[in-house]
Amino acid sequence: MFQPGYYDEDDMMQGMYPPGLLRRAGMTAPRRFDEYYRCYPIAMLPGPERENVNHGGKVIMPPSALDKLTRLHITYPMLFELINGAEERMTHAGVLEFIAEEGKIYLPFWIMQTLLLEPGDLLQIKSTDLPSGQFIKLQAQSTSFLDISDPKAVLENAFRNFSCLTKGDVFTFSYNDQTYEMAVLETKPETDKNAIGVLETDLEVDFAAPVGYEEPKRPSGTSTPRNATGEGLPAGGMLHTQGTMAQAINYSSIAPTSNTAAAGSKAMSSNFLVAGHKLNAKKGSKAPTPKASTPVA
């Protein structure tokens, strides 16, 4: 008789032979968590509002899921594939708590959007393993990201709410009562899953120009020095950790000599990280809470 899952590559040996026979033969059948749940946004979770959970990459599952994960000897960090088979969309996430009602899973709203899910849709959850990230390229979905005075510190704080990230994700984070969207354009090491773990790792981050960004118009009669690559925004390479857009366009060579004007221009310049910054996502690292930039009159 045909057994469901017989041709599932993750369960093929178990479909062909009884588990007891495999154990006696010294072979271990693949052990993988694979369940279906009705999905809902975090905002619908009973209890107090959890806005911080909404801006992260972790889901809330029912207690029975923890019981099964324990029996399968799946240990921390627990990472999962989230699959919307109806739309052929997939991403990855970690788990925050096991307090959802049975049969339900609660997701950050950006994950609902990424997977084209509506409340109550059926979602497949599979345990998985991902390599620790070495590099990620991001693109802010609004030029308002340029107004953040210290984006490196802001992202280090934001990444503490994530276990993993997938190429194609457009995740959100909150800073100074404003929500920012960030697209994942590239991840390394490259794998067939196009995803990386961001826990306990130093992650090199590159930024593409934000959506809607335009090069500043040059006043007539003024020549702006070009950088080594000949582009307005360098696409790669290492910059100082305090690099700003002013450095990227060699602002000091064209800035007014007046100390007051220079200070004002520095404060007004956007702090755009163009490449090669490292985010320290290791446990225990404490980045100071960044302050919003205030233009100097």
Side-chain angles (χ1 to χ4, degrees):
M1 178 181 285
F2 173 74
Q3 282 186 287
Y6 183 91
Y7 292 104
D8 186 343
E9 63 179 359
D10 296 323
D11 202 36
M12 184 172 291
M13 295 300 291
Q14 192 170 2
M16 294 173 63
Y17 303 104
L21 179 60
L22 290 174
R23 286 194 294 271
R24 287 193 294 272
M27 301 171 64
T28 303
R31 302 173 68 83
R32 190 177 190 187
F33 182 91
D34 187 351
E35 296 289 338
Y36 287 84
Y37 297 99
R38 296 289 176 183
C39 64
Y40 298 90
I42 292 290
M44 297 180 67
L45 179 69
E49 184 177 354
R50 294 171 172 241
E51 186 63 22
N52 60 318
V53 181
N54 208 35
H55 298 299
K58 299 178 182 180
V59 302
I60 295 179
M61 303 173 72
S64 61
L66 176 60
D67 180 62
K68 184 170 184 179
L69 287 163
T70 303
R71 286 187 283 108
L72 292 173
H73 303 290
I74 295 174
T75 57
Y76 177 89
M78 295 178 178
L79 303 177
F80 302 91
E81 294 175 4
L82 278 58
I83 305 166
N84 180 3
E87 298 289 346
E88 298 184 346
R89 301 293 289 265
M90 182 183 77
T91 189
H92 299 81
V95 59
L96 181 65
E97 294 181 81
F98 296 90
I99 59 172
E101 305 96 311
E102 290 302 328
K104 295 182 180 181
I105 185 171
Y106 291 91
L107 315 175
F109 185 65
W110 70 264
I111 293 182
M112 298 280 293
Q113 291 182 310
T114 295
L115 297 179
L116 303 179
L117 290 166
E118 295 292 336
D121 282 352
L122 202 61
L123 182 67
Q124 184 179 14
I125 313 294
K126 294 172 121 180
S127 58
T128 190
D129 292 313
L130 296 174
S132 293
Q134 300 170 353
F135 171 86
I136 190 169
K137 187 170 185 177
L138 304 173
Q139 182 184 41
Q141 300 300 286
S142 168
T143 55
S144 61
F145 178 70
L146 302 178
D147 297 330
I148 297 177
S149 61
D150 191 347
K152 177 177 179 289
V154 170
L155 283 174
E156 283 183 350
N157 285 329
F159 274 25
R160 292 192 179 101
N161 296 320
F162 291 80
S163 297
C164 52
L165 285 167
T166 306
K167 181 178 178 180
D169 282 351
V170 180
F171 66 90
T172 62
F173 65 92
S174 180
Y175 172 64
N176 269 7
D177 298 323
Q178 184 171 347
T179 297
Y180 298 85
E181 292 185 325
M182 191 73 69
V184 179
L185 302 184
E186 184 181 349
T187 59
K188 291 181 182 178
E190 296 180 1
T191 66
D192 57 345
K193 297 177 181 179
N194 290 318
I196 55 173
V198 297
L199 292 171
E200 303 292 327
T201 184
D202 288 329
L203 191 62
E204 184 176 346
V205 180
D206 191 9
F207 285 88
V211 173
Y213 174 79
E214 295 181 1
E215 286 287 337
K217 293 182 179 180
R218 301 172 184 174
S220 59
T222 303
S223 60
T224 302
R226 297 174 65 85
N227 57 49
T229 62
E231 300 291 338
L233 296 175
M238 297 293 291
L239 293 181
H240 298 296
T241 56
Q242 297 302 319
T244 66
M245 181 66 81
Q247 290 174 321
I249 65 174
N250 198 7
Y251 180 79
S252 59
S253 66
I254 61 174
T257 55
S258 164
N259 290 338
T260 301
S265 297
K266 182 177 180 181
M268 289 294 290
S269 65
S270 56
N271 291 266
F272 179 41
L273 293 175
V274 289
H277 292 263
K278 289 209 170 189
L279 297 184
N280 184 2
K282 292 183 178 179
K283 186 181 294 184
S285 63
K286 295 183 178 179
T289 302
K291 298 180 179 179
S293 59
T294 304
V296 178

